[in-house]
Every structure is written in C-alpha cells, then in structure tokens.
Amino acid sequence: MAHLSSLRDRQVASIEKILNLNIAHEPDSEAHREQQASRGGLIPQSTPILNNEGEPIWKVLIFDNYGRDVVSSVLRVNDLRSWGVTIHLNINSPRHPIPDVPAVYLVEPNATNIQLITSDLSRGLYSPAHINFLSSISRPLLEDFASQISATNTSDSIAQVFDQYLNFIVGEPDLFSLGMGKETYYNLNSANTKDEDLDALVDRVVSGLFSVIVTMGAIPIIRCPKGGPAEMVSAKLDRKLRDHILNSKDNLFSSPNSRPSSAAGAASSRPVLIILDRNIDLISMLSHSWTYQSLVHDVLKMKLNRITVEMPLDESNPSKGMTKRAYDLNSNDFFWTRNAGTPFPQVAEDIDAELTKYKEDANDITKKTGASSIEDLQNDTSSSAQHLKAAITLLPELRERKATLDMHMNIATALLKGIKDRQLDNFFQIEENITKQTKAQILELLNDEGKGKEPLDKVRLFIIWFLSTEQDVSRAEMDRFEEALKKAGADTTPLAYVKRVREVTRMTMITSTPSQPTQQTTGGELFRGFSSISNRFTERLKDGALGANFENLISGVKNFLPANKDLTVTKITESIMDPASASSSAIAKTENYLYFDPRSANARGTMPPASQARAGGVQSAMPGGLGSLGPGTGASFGQRRQGFSEAVVFTVGGGSMEEYGNLQDWATRTSGGGSGGSGGAVAGGTGVASTLPRRRVVYGSTELVNAEEFVTGELMKLGLESV
C-alpha cells in the first residue's frame, strides 16, 4: 500500500522543508511525477533553494536541547551541509554575530527561548530569522513574543514564524519517543505528584501525539483501556483533534501533503492509535532480551541511536590500555537495518557472511587490476585503465562496507564481553521459561555467587518471576528472597512497589505459549557464527583485527534462538488490528477498550479528572475497562471487530526496545506482500499467504528506557514511597 511510508521519512521531509526556509520547491511536472511515484505520492521531496550563483543558500541552524535531539536522530552533519547549513549552534551557548546570514531557529515554544531569540535579534546576531517552533505556540506566549519584538524594534529581522509539529524523536523508521525523561513513570504513579503537574505531563503527551498524527497525515481511531493515564491522554487528544477539525477552516489534515485516507470517513481506511498504560506489562521493561538492538540498548546504553564502545588501544597488547569510540546506528547502516531485530546468534552468522562477501569482492577487483591489495590500487599505475577506472568507482562503496563491518564487529565484541561478564545468556534462557521455575530454583539462583557480576540482573529476574508466577509467595518466603538479593549486593527497595502493583499487572498481562521451543545446541557452547569468524578473522580484516581475544570471549556463551513468543503489548495490538486471528484471552482483555473517533459527530463527553492518571486509577479499573461509563464506550460490535492495516502503539510511562522489536516481528510475520514493519527477522517464522494485508506498526512511548534506568531511577523511588 502506497501510504505506508515510514514516520522517519515524513519527519525528515518536514525538517528538510524547514532547512529550505519553508519554501516548497516546484519541480518540473515529469520529474515531479517520478518523485511522487517513488515516494508513494505522499511526501513532496524538497530540493535546496539556490542563490544567484547556483549554490544552496547558506544559513545558520539554531536549536535548543530538544530541537538538537529531534534533528540529530535523523540527520547527520553532512546532511545538514547539503541543505546549506554551515554551522549549527545551541541557543543556550554563547554565540558571536554572523551578519547578513539567515538563521533558522528550531526550538520549543517557551518563555526562555523567546527571550533568547529576542536577545539575538536585538544584538543583530543574524538577519533575517526564520523561527520554527517544535509545537504549537500558545496565544499568550505569542502575544508576549510580539510585545518583546515591538519593544526592541526588531520586527524587520523576522522573516517568518511557523508551528512545525515536530516535538517527537524518531529513533528507527517506525519508532519514536517524546523525550520526556526517565521519570515519567515515577511521576504518573507517585502519590507526591500534584494534580497540576499531572495535567502538565498529560498535556505534553497529548501535544507530542498530536504532532505525530499531523506528521503521519491521517486522523486515527483511538483505543485505550479504561482508567489511568491512557484514558486521560486519549480523551484530551480526542478533544484536541475535534477542536482542530471544527475550528480550523484549512486544518492540518486537509493540506495536499495529507494522506488520502485522512479525508475519508471510513474508519477501516484509517490507522488506529492504541494508547496503553505502562502498568499493563512491566516485564518487558525488565527482561533480558536476545535480539541485537535490545542487547545494544541494555548492555551498551544506546541513547539517540548513539553508543560508546570501550576498545583496547592495541589488540595485540591489551596492557597499553583502553580507548572509547562512539558509533551511530541508524537506518542508513545496511547491516543494522537488516539485523537490528535479529537474534544475536544469527547476527554473528550474518557478520561472517558479509565478511566473506567483502573479501571476495575485494579480491575480484585486485585480480582484475593486478594489484596485491585494495590499498595498493591508488598507487598502482601499471593496471589497465579500464579495470583501474572500474576499481576506483567501486572503492568508496567497498571502504564504506569495510568500515560498517569493522564497527559491528567491535560492537559484537563489546556485547559478547557484557554477555559473558553478566551471564546474560543464562538469564535469558531462564526467563524464556520463567513460569516453570519453582521457588527453590529461583532462591538457589539468587544465592549462587557465580551467576553474573551484576546484582541488578538478579533483581530483574526475580521481579519477572514474581510478576509471572501463579504461586503464592508468603511473607516469610519473600523475606528469604530479599535476604538472598541483599547478600548478592542488590538493593531490594524496588520490591516494595512491585508488591503493590503485582495484582494489577497480573490481571492485564496476557500469557503466550511459544509457537516453537527454544533452540539450543547440544554439542559445545559456541556460537556457530562467531566461532567461524574467529577462525578466519585475522586473515580478513588486517586493520584493527580483534584477533586472539575473540576466541576467549565467545567460549562459554550459549548458542540458542529465542522462542517465537508475542508480548502482552503485541497481543493487545493483534486483538485490535486483527481480531479474527487473535486469541480469545486477548480479545477478552480488549473487548471493552474505549473507542474514540475524532471525526464522529458524537458529543465529546466529560474529561476525566487529573487524579485518575495515578496508579490508583489503574487499580480501580478492571482489565479491559469493564463497567466504563465515560466517552467512547458506544462502539458497536462491528467497530470493535473492524480490523486495521496500520497502527500506532503508544505506552504512557516508558517503552522498551524489546516491545518495539516484538511488534515489528509480529507485523512482518502476519503481513502479505513483504515486510509490514522496519524490524528484523523472525526466529522460526512461518510463511504467510500473499493475500494477507500488509501491516505497519509504529511504536512510541514517553521515553525509551533501559532496564537499569527503569529499576534504579523509577521503581527505586516508588519503592521508597511504598515502604
């Protein structure tokens, strides 16, 4: 389906238009038709506007911290330069005048930024100024801005002011966060949070989701459980969309860039926005995953697609010390795009295959030119001109491939070290069958000093078991578990809060039986892929080879593939997108989810009070929102069973890489006509009929949080309040 262009594509197109001074370039009709066909006819691709000399108009980009995060997650310095940005600066840093150069501001609409912009203009730092707010500026703030501009007599320096609706951060083609920080879950569930602070938090979530919807270009159907933050966000977002449609003559969804389905009233042609509370499933925030992207997020603490890897200065002589190297992982990286959602053992095999292919291509070129290696080509004048020309043409691509494979080899090495030090393969294997673990087995594991060097891993495992098990845990037994954790060096403060929310989480979780058993080798414990790499690695990558240490790293790490198991969020998504194929237990959980259609003519109903966003609102609600009396409950049976081909799944209170990868696997596995998402491979997936609809699932959250941040930053603070 042509309209399934990624969220990342759309955000990049919006940012490029801003860098183009909000001027839409009008290409000739034939080229325009080709471009529209290649991009699905939806996102008009801008091209840099040129000056009289035929060069891009050079400009300065000024952003605040949030604007920096929005831009840096999808564009690099070279991308900015191609759009005429000579320098980019933070609005909070000291800056010097650059006269007669246009400045593009991309900032949040707040009083501090408005004062800084006014100060810049009054000092004549740049002229003219193109001001772009990441979200819609409020009327009082806009009037205050106008007053400051009038008082400083700088109106002539302002070329334009735009609301851009870009206050969300895209990490992967179909993954976004609102960048709301690591304490959103705490603030939503803490009794110490004031009602006005809750309102402000919910309003920020609504603003971010509104921007996502505007960028996607279609008004969705909204589904959510009754009670808690999800209902508050859904009700306010429904009202905001309704008000915008009713009160704007030329609304944001009637522009030429909107998708055709946004103007249609048929719900089946529109996406569904599923808004969920984090408390429906805490396990996915804590689990030890085995996919590449989840391990990178957990072990290497990925932030805004950037990781830092510690490497030896000299592989052959580790005593020389260590150095740190930063890497960016994004959709321009062919290996990351293909393997991000793939189980780690398969990533190892693919690295091996790519290294083999690289060596064969390099040898093919050197044979034709007569050079002994690729490095010799630049200095070799004896080769035939034809072959040399072909080789030089291929050199940049080969060098880029080599750099990418070098990077992923270094990342894989760092991951392997983390896996071995913390014994993450053992933790993952136990969690795959967590419900089968007895109290005695869990207690034995907690008391085993040989199970990893990181006490937090044991805390995570215990919480997962405690939330999953059907066994009753007495106070005396809990005391023994806590004593074992303390003996291992762990802080048990988070358990006080976990005990409080256990019953709610167990009601909303949906258990899933794996469609295949965990696959594990019976003969040795080495990865097939990594063992083959280590045997030939020195031969293949002479520069910076990882060498002998690699074999030592992989020894003792188990080789198995994860079971094909859908998480709770995925089960909920399936029950709404494809109710005909969903399990009866999932259907039962979502049967009475609230239903909002911002395009319907029904009354909006009353807004839930701010206090409902607390954990108490969740605890008082039955799973699926049974007994709900609020707006959105009048959905007919047909509306509840209609199904969707596209969804945005949003968790209020934090999201995890594992949930994102699991949703993409499900979309890929159940789609016809190719991949339904941007994610990776499905372990042991089965073939699907081409008659199935192609599905896309976009996953978003208030913030992507790794397990360490979630336990130590949020559960810990809530535990202190619960003692």
Side-chain angles (χ1 to χ4, degrees), residues 553-567:
L553 277 173
I554 61 177
S555 61
V557 177
K558 293 179 182 174
N559 173 28
F560 51 81
L561 299 179
N564 186 11
K565 183 167 61 177
D566 291 335
L567 302 176

PDB file of all heavy atoms in Angstrom, residues 553-567:
ATOM      1  N   LEU A 553      36.657 -14.670  24.270  1.00  0.00           N
ATOM      2  CA  LEU A 553      35.397 -14.014  24.626  1.00  0.00           C
ATOM      3  C   LEU A 553      34.194 -14.924  24.424  1.00  0.00           C
ATOM      4  O   LEU A 553      33.271 -14.947  25.231  1.00  0.00           O
ATOM      5  CB  LEU A 553      35.209 -12.742  23.790  1.00  0.00           C
ATOM      6  CG  LEU A 553      35.916 -11.476  24.271  1.00  0.00           C
ATOM      7  CD1 LEU A 553      35.751 -10.383  23.231  1.00  0.00           C
ATOM      8  CD2 LEU A 553      35.371 -11.019  25.604  1.00  0.00           C
ATOM      9  N   ILE A 554      34.180 -15.660  23.322  1.00  0.00           N
ATOM     10  CA  ILE A 554      32.961 -16.397  22.990  1.00  0.00           C
ATOM     11  C   ILE A 554      32.865 -17.739  23.692  1.00  0.00           C
ATOM     12  O   ILE A 554      31.799 -18.347  23.712  1.00  0.00           O
ATOM     13  CB  ILE A 554      32.850 -16.630  21.466  1.00  0.00           C
ATOM     14  CG1 ILE A 554      34.030 -17.448  20.969  1.00  0.00           C
ATOM     15  CG2 ILE A 554      32.733 -15.331  20.730  1.00  0.00           C
ATOM     16  CD1 ILE A 554      33.945 -17.779  19.498  1.00  0.00           C
ATOM     17  N   SER A 555      33.973 -18.206  24.280  1.00  0.00           N
ATOM     18  CA  SER A 555      33.906 -19.510  24.942  1.00  0.00           C
ATOM     19  C   SER A 555      32.967 -19.432  26.133  1.00  0.00           C
ATOM     20  O   SER A 555      33.003 -18.503  26.925  1.00  0.00           O
ATOM     21  CB  SER A 555      35.295 -19.938  25.397  1.00  0.00           C
ATOM     22  OG  SER A 555      35.820 -19.016  26.315  1.00  0.00           O
ATOM     23  N   GLY A 556      32.064 -20.382  26.226  1.00  0.00           N
ATOM     24  CA  GLY A 556      31.126 -20.435  27.342  1.00  0.00           C
ATOM     25  C   GLY A 556      29.823 -19.714  27.117  1.00  0.00           C
ATOM     26  O   GLY A 556      28.924 -19.785  27.948  1.00  0.00           O
ATOM     27  N   VAL A 557      29.680 -19.013  26.000  1.00  0.00           N
ATOM     28  CA  VAL A 557      28.416 -18.328  25.710  1.00  0.00           C
ATOM     29  C   VAL A 557      27.512 -19.275  24.933  1.00  0.00           C
ATOM     30  O   VAL A 557      27.912 -19.858  23.939  1.00  0.00           O
ATOM     31  CB  VAL A 557      28.656 -17.036  24.898  1.00  0.00           C
ATOM     32  CG1 VAL A 557      27.339 -16.384  24.545  1.00  0.00           C
ATOM     33  CG2 VAL A 557      29.518 -16.077  25.690  1.00  0.00           C
ATOM     34  N   LYS A 558      26.292 -19.426  25.390  1.00  0.00           N
ATOM     35  CA  LYS A 558      25.404 -20.430  24.803  1.00  0.00           C
ATOM     36  C   LYS A 558      24.820 -19.978  23.477  1.00  0.00           C
ATOM     37  O   LYS A 558      24.563 -18.806  23.265  1.00  0.00           O
ATOM     38  CB  LYS A 558      24.278 -20.757  25.793  1.00  0.00           C
ATOM     39  CG  LYS A 558      24.792 -21.454  27.035  1.00  0.00           C
ATOM     40  CD  LYS A 558      23.674 -21.740  28.013  1.00  0.00           C
ATOM     41  CE  LYS A 558      24.242 -22.408  29.263  1.00  0.00           C
ATOM     42  NZ  LYS A 558      23.225 -22.583  30.300  1.00  0.00           N
ATOM     43  N   ASN A 559      24.604 -20.951  22.633  1.00  0.00           N
ATOM     44  CA  ASN A 559      24.051 -20.674  21.308  1.00  0.00           C
ATOM     45  C   ASN A 559      22.636 -21.224  21.220  1.00  0.00           C
ATOM     46  O   ASN A 559      22.428 -22.414  21.102  1.00  0.00           O
ATOM     47  CB  ASN A 559      24.939 -21.347  20.245  1.00  0.00           C
ATOM     48  CG  ASN A 559      24.323 -21.241  18.864  1.00  0.00           C
ATOM     49  OD1 ASN A 559      23.587 -20.296  18.593  1.00  0.00           O
ATOM     50  ND2 ASN A 559      24.615 -22.205  18.020  1.00  0.00           N
ATOM     51  N   PHE A 560      21.654 -20.331  21.360  1.00  0.00           N
ATOM     52  CA  PHE A 560      20.269 -20.760  21.172  1.00  0.00           C
ATOM     53  C   PHE A 560      19.469 -19.591  20.627  1.00  0.00           C
ATOM     54  O   PHE A 560      19.852 -18.425  20.757  1.00  0.00           O
ATOM     55  CB  PHE A 560      19.647 -21.265  22.479  1.00  0.00           C
ATOM     56  CG  PHE A 560      19.799 -20.324  23.639  1.00  0.00           C
ATOM     57  CD1 PHE A 560      18.947 -19.240  23.816  1.00  0.00           C
ATOM     58  CD2 PHE A 560      20.811 -20.522  24.565  1.00  0.00           C
ATOM     59  CE1 PHE A 560      19.102 -18.377  24.875  1.00  0.00           C
ATOM     60  CE2 PHE A 560      20.976 -19.652  25.636  1.00  0.00           C
ATOM     61  CZ  PHE A 560      20.112 -18.578  25.797  1.00  0.00           C
ATOM     62  N   LEU A 561      18.356 -19.912  19.997  1.00  0.00           N
ATOM     63  CA  LEU A 561      17.485 -18.897  19.431  1.00  0.00           C
ATOM     64  C   LEU A 561      16.249 -18.748  20.305  1.00  0.00           C
ATOM     65  O   LEU A 561      15.763 -19.723  20.875  1.00  0.00           O
ATOM     66  CB  LEU A 561      17.072 -19.279  18.009  1.00  0.00           C
ATOM     67  CG  LEU A 561      18.221 -19.418  17.012  1.00  0.00           C
ATOM     68  CD1 LEU A 561      17.676 -19.823  15.646  1.00  0.00           C
ATOM     69  CD2 LEU A 561      19.007 -18.127  16.903  1.00  0.00           C
ATOM     70  N   PRO A 562      15.729 -17.518  20.421  1.00  0.00           N
ATOM     71  CA  PRO A 562      14.563 -17.313  21.286  1.00  0.00           C
ATOM     72  C   PRO A 562      13.308 -17.951  20.709  1.00  0.00           C
ATOM     73  O   PRO A 562      13.171 -18.124  19.504  1.00  0.00           O
ATOM     74  CB  PRO A 562      14.434 -15.783  21.336  1.00  0.00           C
ATOM     75  CG  PRO A 562      15.074 -15.303  20.080  1.00  0.00           C
ATOM     76  CD  PRO A 562      16.176 -16.279  19.788  1.00  0.00           C
ATOM     77  N   ALA A 563      12.395 -18.275  21.600  1.00  0.00           N
ATOM     78  CA  ALA A 563      11.099 -18.794  21.159  1.00  0.00           C
ATOM     79  C   ALA A 563      10.311 -17.681  20.483  1.00  0.00           C
ATOM     80  O   ALA A 563      10.481 -16.504  20.786  1.00  0.00           O
ATOM     81  CB  ALA A 563      10.321 -19.327  22.351  1.00  0.00           C
ATOM     82  N   ASN A 564       9.475 -18.052  19.547  1.00  0.00           N
ATOM     83  CA  ASN A 564       8.644 -17.090  18.823  1.00  0.00           C
ATOM     84  C   ASN A 564       7.427 -16.774  19.688  1.00  0.00           C
ATOM     85  O   ASN A 564       6.387 -17.400  19.591  1.00  0.00           O
ATOM     86  CB  ASN A 564       8.232 -17.711  17.489  1.00  0.00           C
ATOM     87  CG  ASN A 564       7.485 -16.728  16.625  1.00  0.00           C
ATOM     88  OD1 ASN A 564       7.441 -15.535  16.915  1.00  0.00           O
ATOM     89  ND2 ASN A 564       6.874 -17.228  15.568  1.00  0.00           N
ATOM     90  N   LYS A 565       7.577 -15.763  20.564  1.00  0.00           N
ATOM     91  CA  LYS A 565       6.579 -15.510  21.594  1.00  0.00           C
ATOM     92  C   LYS A 565       6.162 -14.043  21.564  1.00  0.00           C
ATOM     93  O   LYS A 565       7.011 -13.148  21.591  1.00  0.00           O
ATOM     94  CB  LYS A 565       7.153 -15.877  22.968  1.00  0.00           C
ATOM     95  CG  LYS A 565       6.189 -15.720  24.120  1.00  0.00           C
ATOM     96  CD  LYS A 565       6.732 -16.389  25.378  1.00  0.00           C
ATOM     97  CE  LYS A 565       8.042 -15.779  25.820  1.00  0.00           C
ATOM     98  NZ  LYS A 565       8.539 -16.371  27.083  1.00  0.00           N
ATOM     99  N   ASP A 566       4.869 -13.789  21.494  1.00  0.00           N
ATOM    100  CA  ASP A 566       4.364 -12.420  21.463  1.00  0.00           C
ATOM    101  C   ASP A 566       4.195 -11.880  22.879  1.00  0.00           C
ATOM    102  O   ASP A 566       3.686 -12.570  23.768  1.00  0.00           O
ATOM    103  CB  ASP A 566       3.016 -12.362  20.737  1.00  0.00           C
ATOM    104  CG  ASP A 566       3.152 -12.627  19.247  1.00  0.00           C
ATOM    105  OD1 ASP A 566       4.247 -12.387  18.726  1.00  0.00           O
ATOM    106  OD2 ASP A 566       2.165 -13.063  18.627  1.00  0.00           O
ATOM    107  N   LEU A 567       4.615 -10.620  23.082  1.00  0.00           N
ATOM    108  CA  LEU A 567       4.470  -9.970  24.376  1.00  0.00           C
ATOM    109  C   LEU A 567       3.045  -9.459  24.556  1.00  0.00           C
ATOM    110  O   LEU A 567       2.236  -9.449  23.620  1.00  0.00           O
ATOM    111  CB  LEU A 567       5.472  -8.815  24.488  1.00  0.00           C
ATOM    112  CG  LEU A 567       6.950  -9.182  24.318  1.00  0.00           C
ATOM    113  CD1 LEU A 567       7.814  -7.923  24.366  1.00  0.00           C
ATOM    114  CD2 LEU A 567       7.385 -10.170  25.383  1.00  0.00           C
TER     115      LEU A 567
END
